[in-house]
Amino acid sequence: MAAIEELKTLLSDDIRQLETLADVLLQEKQVLSSPDITPLQDITSQKNALLGEIRERAKQKIRLLVSLGYRPDAGEPSRFIRASGQTDLFKLWQTADQKLRACQDLNLNNGRVVGHLQKRLNKLTDIFRGASAQQKLYGAKGEQTNVSNSTILASA
């Protein structure tokens, strides 16, 4: 049962790092709402490093679960863990899953903020170029693009 103990250790590490990731995401949100975004580069580096470590542990956890008899085509790992009767392991798995979902929500919110900031920047850029009164079209991804009078649609 060394695999179960190793799985518990990996899950405990995940929980700790997911808490750190949540803190980093909250810092990112604060930086995005402030006029000084210089710390954003460091925050992004931290976030990427944490995510890399979490991904590596996810691969290790799947390998351990497979060694315990889990089949990836049989459904979610939480079902397998619950069915195994390892209540401590299942509680750790649930806690890690909750922390992961909280981080996903924080990241989604930060993504929305970045999207709004990009739209605002595009509008300001249009104003500086004098293109704010021009007609706009929607692109394939739903983004607005200006139609300038000098656009060549076709040539002979």
Side-chain angles (χ1 to χ4, degrees), residues 3 12 130 140:
S12 296

Side-chain angles (χ1 to χ4, degrees), residues 81-99:
I81 294 169
R82 188 174 0 137
S84 71
Q86 297 287 333
T87 55
D88 292 343
L89 183 61
F90 183 67
K91 286 179 185 178
L92 281 171
W93 188 274
Q94 281 185 314
T95 303
D97 187 53
Q98 290 169 351
K99 301 267 183 205

Side-chain angles (χ1 to χ4, degrees), residues 17-131:
Q17 279 200 315
L18 287 167
E19 288 170 350
T20 304
L21 181 60
D23 291 341
V24 169
L25 289 168
L26 289 171
Q27 289 173 9
E28 181 181 53
K29 182 180 179 182
Q30 289 174 347
V31 168
L32 289 172
S33 64
S34 74
D36 180 24
I37 59 166
T38 52
L40 196 57
Q41 183 71 29
D42 293 335
I43 290 172
T44 303
S45 297
Q46 280 181 301
K47 189 168 71 168
N48 289 336
L50 288 168
L51 288 172
E53 291 175 22
I54 291 168
R55 281 187 197 106
E56 284 303 312
R57 271 197 307 281
K59 292 175 189 175
Q60 292 173 351
K61 288 184 292 191
I62 292 298
R63 282 189 215 113
L64 286 170
L65 285 170
V66 167
S67 73
L68 292 171
Y70 169 70
R71 290 188 349 249
D73 61 344
E76 295 200 14
S78 58
R79 284 179 165 173
F80 174 78
I81 294 169
R82 188 174 0 137
S84 71
Q86 297 287 333
T87 55
D88 292 343
L89 183 61
F90 183 67
K91 286 179 185 178
L92 281 171
W93 188 274
Q94 281 185 314
T95 303
D97 187 53
Q98 290 169 351
K99 301 267 183 205
L100 178 65
R101 291 181 195 280
C103 287
Q104 287 172 333
D105 288 342
L106 287 169
N107 195 49
L108 186 64
N109 288 336
N110 288 353
R112 284 190 201 116
V113 171
V114 168
H116 290 299
L117 290 172
Q118 286 175 336
K119 284 180 185 178
R120 187 184 306 169
L121 180 62
N122 287 338
K123 286 180 183 178
L124 286 172
T125 305
D126 287 347
I127 290 170
F128 287 137
R129 279 195 242 145

